[in-house]
Amino acid sequence: MSTAPRDNRPRGLILVVEDEPAIAELIRLNLAQSGYGVHLESDGARALDTVRRLRPAAIILDVGLPGLDGIEICRTLRAAQDWTPVLFVTARDDEVDRIVGLELGADDYVTKPFSPRELVARVGGVLRRTHGVPDAAPQTVGAVTLDATQHRVFAGDDELALTATEFDLLAHLMRRPGRVFTREQLLSEVWGYSSVAGTRTVDVHVAQLRAKLGGASPIRTVRGVGYAAEGGA
Ligand code: CA
């Protein structure tokens, strides 16, 4: 999956949904220069059809769109168990509050005006996270520190012995502290398959993880929704 730097292989198709032509073109140009394939849509309803038809690696989604707005598009995708990574582009701070507050399963956002370079970097980050490529720096949530490059986990000073699946599940939760993941999301993103019948697998592994982490466990159950990793729990 990892590719040599500066090679010219396509890095995946990005769907850009933006109704302002100048901004859409700026995004398209910068993504293309970085090796991404790009498909542009300016209309919300058509964008939904395009996601289903082209199956993009990620979606850059303007919030303010004619017809169906970006938030409705994301909500519709998630309701259909489509977890294609979504990076929102917003024009206003109150839209950021809506994106975060509605727990739409947005993977990231930028606010206008944004730097195209930063946007491209964020797309790379979203793809890395959702493909489970570990970040280089160790991550700490509460008393737990996870070092993905060395595949080691510490609760305080004690090193824990986790199975590969337990490690991947904990890493996935800790990569975005505070973000709530549904069981279906975790099944699809950590195990790599989706099946509502299999969601009990997630509960079983969370229980095993908690038993090993003991009082240091950062995993919080969100009743009726799923799980999140939080510090100070
Ligand atoms: Ca717009």
Side-chain angles (χ1 to χ4, degrees):
M1 184 184 307
S2 64
T3 53
R6 281 191 256 279
D7 73 0
N8 291 319
R9 272 179 289 170
R11 303 170 88 182
L13 178 71
I14 310 297
L15 172 62
V16 177
V17 190
E18 169 62 73
D19 60 317
E20 290 176 63
I23 295 178
E25 184 55 23
L26 184 70
I27 296 174
R28 189 195 65 73
L29 198 66
N30 279 273
L31 286 171
Q33 280 172 352
S34 298
Y36 294 100
V38 185
H39 182 94
L40 297 179
E41 288 289 352
S42 58
D43 174 272
R46 285 192 45 176
L48 266 182
D49 289 340
T50 303
V51 175
R52 288 162 185 156
R53 194 162 46 87
L54 298 183
R55 305 228 147 265
I59 307 166
I60 296 177
L61 195 49
D62 186 28
V63 175
L65 291 166
L68 205 57
D69 76 15
I71 286 175
E72 287 304 321
I73 292 170
C74 189
R75 204 202 304 270
T76 304
L77 289 173
R78 298 316 187 224
Q81 303 293 312
D82 184 325
W83 305 105
T84 307
V86 168
L87 190 150
F88 274 112
V89 175
T90 82
R92 306 195 312 267
D93 284 347
D94 59 326
E95 289 178 344
V96 173
D97 293 342
R98 281 180 72 205
I99 292 165
V100 175
L102 288 170
E103 291 179 351
L104 290 164
D107 295 274
D108 207 347
Y109 63 84
V110 296
T111 49
K112 292 178 184 174
F114 55 85
S115 130
R117 274 172 186 276
E118 187 194 347
L119 182 70
V120 170
R122 297 283 194 94
V123 169
V126 163
L127 291 174
R128 257 194 317 281
R129 286 200 301 271
T130 50
H131 291 164
V133 177
D135 295 331
Q139 286 168 301
T140 299
V141 177
V144 176
T145 299
L146 183 142
D147 185 333
T149 51
Q150 295 191 34
H151 223 266
R152 301 173 79 182
V153 176
F154 297 86
D157 293 329
D158 300 328
E159 182 165 6
L160 304 178
L162 302 184
T163 66
T165 301
E166 289 165 356
F167 185 92
D168 290 345
L169 176 60
L170 183 63
H172 200 78
L173 291 167
M174 285 180 63
R175 239 170 251 140
R176 277 170 285 182
R179 152 109 188 252
V180 181
F181 294 87
T182 66
R183 291 170 177 80
E184 289 81 6
Q185 273 177 300
L186 290 170
L187 198 62
S188 147
E189 294 167 6
V190 177
W191 277 262
Y193 59 89
S194 55
S195 152
V196 173
T199 52
R200 196 174 138 61
T201 305
V202 178
D203 296 330
V204 169
H205 281 82
V206 166
Q208 288 169 0
L209 254 181
R210 280 181 167 147
K212 290 185 180 179
L213 292 162
S217 174
I219 303 173
R220 180 168 71 92
T221 302
V222 182
R223 281 174 70 93
V225 185
Y227 298 103
E230 287 181 359

